[in-house]
């Protein structure tokens, strides 16, 4: 079978026994799975590396296509560095890493099969990595760069890619993962994204940074907003997270519109759980317009805040001011019953 069937756009996943025929590959794979049983850490490194390269906090960028050519070239180097830092890999003798006392070289490409291997990589074990922000996906695998696994043709740097046999020999790590945390701004509709990024506020004296953050929470509700997304929208601000909190941030600014802005501290995670919203982790937020109701039901979860019940507003609900969620853990959000 040709890898991948180009006419179908399918990635062929060969069925190969775990680490069969290559004891070193088996040991490296086992060590990686010990360090990261489900692949979550690996996926987080790739997400953070993309965000680092986009540099949204300073430049307001969210699309890989807007990077300079030299920046795109640097992506592979950043992946290598950040994986080594995250997993504390030792340096290899002739490769990037030493994992389980075995030399392993890291190769990154934006697409499956795009990894380029220099002559020095012949017969070395390679950790091949790919991720796509547009597809919100990633892959990582191990393969031995043996002579019969490489194409005969080379580029001007004498580097070769895996041939069909080499592609079929990749031992994919964490095959049930593959999900890259979504780049929210990239996947919003252009109209919604434009309203967020061009917001200037409702008065002539409004702060444009705060206006963009407020508009973000108006437009994106019921979904986790990661720190890097907020930093990108609030680019140019000294303290982007402050723009989401109280004391003049979006949490205060949007309460009159009925919108709750919940973070990871105090009662906020409990309120998010009770309302049926995703629970924010450190540096994350979730917003929702709420209305007061008599109490929770099986079909409409509610949070009890300061003695009153609130639920996520339905499209036809009249807007009303949202409650102030106490900053200390003494509110009693109630799940649906």
């Amino acid at each position: 079978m040709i890898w991948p069937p180009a006419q179908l756009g399918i990635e062929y996943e060969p069925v190969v026994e775990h680490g069969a025929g290559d004891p070193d590959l088996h040991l490296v794979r086992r060590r990686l799975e010990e360090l990261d049983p489900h692949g979550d850490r690996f996926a987080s490194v790739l997400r953070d590396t993309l965000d680092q390269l986009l540099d949204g906090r300073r430049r307001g960028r969210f699309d890989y296509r807007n990077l300079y050519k030299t920046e795109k070239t640097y992506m592979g180097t950043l992946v290598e560095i950040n994986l080594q830092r995250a997993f504390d890999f030792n340096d290899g003798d002739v490769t990037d890493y030493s994992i389980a006392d075995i030399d392993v070289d890291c190769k990154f490409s934006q697409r499956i099969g795009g990894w380029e291997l220099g002559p020095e990589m012949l017969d070395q074990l390679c950790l091949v990595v790919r991720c796509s922000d547009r597809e919100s996906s990633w892959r990582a695998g191990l393969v031995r760069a043996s002579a019969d696994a490489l194409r005969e043709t080379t580029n001007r740097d004498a580097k070769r890619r895996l041939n069909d046999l080499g592609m079929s020999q990749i031992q994919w790590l964490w095959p049930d993962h593959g999900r890259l945390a979504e780049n929210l701004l990239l996947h919003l509709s252009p109209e919604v994204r434009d309203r967020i990024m061009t917001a200037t506020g409702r008065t002539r004296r409004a702060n444009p940074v705060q206006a963009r953050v407020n508009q973000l929470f108006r437009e994106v509700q019921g979904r986790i907003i990661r720190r890097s997304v907020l930093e990108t929208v609030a680019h140019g601000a000294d303290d982007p997270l402050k723009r989401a909190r109280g004391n003049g941030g979006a949490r205060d600014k949007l309460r009159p519109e009925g919108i709750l802005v919940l973070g990871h501290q105090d009662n906020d995670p409990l309120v998010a759980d009770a309302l049926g919203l995703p629970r924010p982790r450190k540096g994350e937020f979730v917003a929702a317009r709420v209305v007061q109701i008599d109490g929770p039901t099986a079909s409409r979860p509610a949070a009890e805040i300061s003695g009153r019940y609130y639920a996520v507003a339905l499209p036809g609900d009249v807007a009303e001011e949202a409650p102030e969620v106490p900053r200390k853990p003494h509110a009693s959000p109630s799940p649906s019953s």
Side-chain angles (χ1 to χ4, degrees):
M1 176 177 284
I2 301 300
W3 178 288
Q7 69 275 20
L8 298 178
I10 297 173
E11 291 178 11
Y12 169 61
E13 178 96 37
V15 178
V16 183
E17 184 181 348
H18 183 91
D22 194 329
D24 284 353
L25 187 152
H26 175 81
L27 289 172
V28 171
R29 178 170 188 165
R30 186 171 65 183
R31 179 56 179 155
L32 288 171
E33 291 175 345
E34 288 172 352
L35 292 170
D36 190 7
H38 305 293
D40 293 338
R41 286 175 61 193
F42 204 102
S44 179
V45 170
L46 296 179
R47 175 71 269 165
D48 290 345
T49 301
L50 279 167
D51 292 339
Q52 179 183 353
L53 201 60
L54 290 167
D55 196 12
R57 178 167 181 169
R58 291 194 305 168
R59 299 182 179 274
R61 300 181 303 187
F62 53 84
D63 192 336
Y64 185 87
R65 294 177 300 179
N66 293 333
L67 297 177
Y68 296 116
K69 183 178 180 179
T70 51
E71 291 178 305
K72 294 177 182 178
T73 303
Y74 189 47
M75 177 73 182
T77 301
L78 276 181
V79 168
E80 295 167 15
I81 293 170
N82 291 341
L83 284 173
Q84 185 166 30
R85 289 174 176 172
F87 290 93
D88 198 25
F89 298 140
N90 291 325
D91 291 331
D93 291 332
V94 295
T95 59
D96 296 317
Y97 313 140
S98 174
I99 304 174
D101 295 324
I102 297 165
D103 271 11
V104 179
D105 207 65
C106 181
K107 296 298 179 184
F108 175 82
S109 174
Q110 283 284 314
R111 64 182 184 86
I112 293 288
W115 308 289
E116 297 188 340
L117 312 176
E120 72 281 2
M121 288 299 102
L122 185 63
D123 290 328
Q124 295 293 340
L125 197 58
C126 295
L127 173 64
V128 290
V129 183
R130 175 259 183 185
C131 71
S132 169
D133 223 0
R134 292 207 159 267
E135 298 174 10
S136 301
S137 66
W138 66 279
R139 299 294 298 274
L142 293 167
V143 66
R144 177 75 63 182
S146 56
D148 61 354
L150 299 173
R151 295 180 182 180
E152 292 294 331
T153 57
T154 66
N155 64 15
R156 60 185 179 183
D157 297 322
K159 293 182 178 180
R160 293 190 284 174
R161 295 182 180 179
L162 295 171
N163 58 23
D164 295 340
L165 176 63
M167 294 298 297
S168 70
Q169 291 176 343
I170 297 174
Q171 299 286 308
W172 294 109
L173 302 162
W174 311 289
D176 296 328
H177 199 299
R179 301 174 307 280
L180 189 69
E182 184 186 34
N183 182 336
L184 186 146
L185 289 172
L186 183 64
H187 291 96
L188 289 176
S189 72
E191 296 79 13
V192 170
R193 186 170 59 233
D194 187 63
R195 287 198 296 268
I196 293 170
M197 301 304 285
T198 62
T200 57
R202 299 183 176 182
T203 67
R204 296 179 63 181
R205 299 179 62 183
N207 182 302
V209 172
Q210 188 64 59
R212 294 197 300 269
V213 172
N214 293 349
Q215 194 65 27
L216 171 66
F217 290 117
R218 290 190 187 103
E219 300 282 357
V220 182
Q221 297 188 14
R223 299 169 62 181
I224 289 294
I225 295 175
R226 296 182 298 107
R227 180 187 187 120
S228 63
V229 174
L230 183 60
E231 290 177 339
T232 301
V233 171
H235 63 274
D238 292 334
D239 187 356
L241 296 188
K242 180 180 179 181
R243 302 292 179 173
R245 301 187 183 116
N247 298 319
R251 183 174 286 147
D252 289 345
K253 300 287 187 183
L254 298 180
R255 278 184 55 235
E257 300 176 31
I259 299 173
L260 283 180
V261 177
L262 304 171
H264 76 283
Q265 294 179 311
D266 301 317
N267 288 299
D268 286 8
L270 300 177
V271 172
D273 288 344
L275 290 172
L277 299 170
R279 175 184 278 238
R281 295 178 295 183
K282 187 174 182 180
E284 296 180 341
F285 295 87
V286 64
R289 186 171 75 87
V290 297
V291 292
Q292 188 175 336
I293 63 173
D294 293 335
T297 66
S299 61
R300 197 170 191 186
E304 183 182 359
I305 304 171
S306 301
R308 297 180 178 180
Y309 286 101
Y310 294 86
V312 174
L314 301 176
D317 288 335
V318 177
E320 60 183 67
E321 185 168 352
E324 184 174 359
V325 178
R327 292 295 95 201
K328 298 296 181 181
H330 58 258
S332 52
S334 302
S336 60
S337 59

